[in-house]
Amino acid sequence: MNRRKKIVAGNWKMNLNSQQVLKLMQALNRSEQEFDCDVIVFPPFVYLVDVIDFANGGGRISVGAQNCAATENGAYTGEVSPAQLADIGVEYVLIGHSERRIYYNENHSFIADKLKCSLANNLRPVFCCGEPQIVREAGEQLTYVKQQLVESLFTLKTEEIGQVIVAYEPVWAIGTGLNASAEQAQEMHTFIRHQIAEHYSLAIANEIQILYGGSCKPGNAAELFACHDVDGGLIGGASLIAEDFLNIISLAH
Ligand code: PEP
């Protein structure tokens, strides 16, 4: 056992309408289930204020944004700054999700800027990394993820890195129903922790929570969460269904 508290985080992506958000939050708030882990939800921007209100009512769910700007403020039409998110009560932000890297061409240095800007505005980043299928097939996943770490995450100072949560999300597992095996997840999570230890310190590496994401479901969460270096999950599809999300939460302790 390690001392790290587990986290179960739900990435709702561009799903749900206001009625569905209400139903989901009511189900999460009303459940009598004890939470032994930290629970975070990442709703679409337009529902953040409502979800923060619901979450405050229940008192046991934190709220994050799925994205943020890389700059403090100014003429960036359509962007939302970390300061604005923090201002309405958002505590976390997803940075470097593969969907943003792939569909919006977010590169390492842009992701590094977002990390710095969110930390400077008291938002805790969940830094997502992970290899595409072609890289896994070539057996190059460790080198690939190392580059993501070095070029974005490791640009942070020692005093900043402790605020970050890492999420290992193999791209081939996201939304495909094909999760990484416990062995594959553990191998990568240990690798990431070693890299953090080498770059910063063993003490820092041992504190940082590293989540697994990619088709994590009630049926596979227990095995994944039992891995020594897996500190919980970032859940996409299954976080939209209250029963499944609560089930996964019950497996994180
Ligand atoms: C995600 O996109 O962060 C994710 C883990 O999605 P899914 O659980 O649907 O694979």
Side-chain angles (χ1 to χ4, degrees), residues 11 13 97 99 169 173-175 213-216 234-237:
N11 175 11
K13 310 194 187 190
H97 192 281
E99 287 154 15
E169 299 205 301
I174 295 180
S215 298
C216 186
L234 178 55
I235 320 297

Side-chain angles (χ1 to χ4, degrees), residues 161-192:
I161 188 76
Q163 283 303 304
V164 179
I165 297 161
V166 176
Y168 168 56
E169 299 205 301
V171 180
W172 47 271
I174 295 180
T176 58
L178 193 75
N179 60 288
S181 66
E183 294 71 33
Q184 287 170 326
Q186 173 57 25
E187 182 197 34
M188 183 61 84
H189 284 227
T190 321
F191 176 76
I192 293 170

Side-chain angles (χ1 to χ4, degrees), residues 144-171:
Y144 187 94
V145 169
K146 183 173 177 181
Q147 192 186 7
Q148 293 180 318
L149 297 174
V150 169
E151 298 208 18
S152 301
L153 189 63
F154 294 170
T155 63
L156 296 179
K157 300 192 189 97
T158 305
E159 57 271 28
E160 294 173 319
I161 188 76
Q163 283 303 304
V164 179
I165 297 161
V166 176
Y168 168 56
E169 299 205 301
V171 180

Side-chain angles (χ1 to χ4, degrees), residues 54 61 77 90 100 104 119 124 142 160 194 213 222 248:
F54 291 133
I61 296 175
T77 303
V90 171
R100 297 215 58 90
Y104 303 98
L119 286 165
R124 287 192 69 186
L142 300 183
E160 294 173 319
H194 277 141
I248 294 171

Side-chain angles (χ1 to χ4, degrees), residues 20-34:
Q20 291 165 329
V21 166
L22 172 68
K23 269 183 79 179
L24 181 53
M25 285 308 291
Q26 279 176 342
L28 298 180
N29 274 347
R30 285 180 188 160
S31 150
E32 304 214 323
Q33 184 181 314
E34 296 263 330

Side-chain angles (χ1 to χ4, degrees), residues 192-209:
I192 293 170
R193 206 176 295 288
H194 277 141
Q195 294 300 313
I196 296 170
E198 267 183 23
H199 200 86
Y200 296 96
S201 72
L202 187 58
I204 288 175
N206 282 336
E207 293 288 322
I208 287 188
Q209 290 144 309

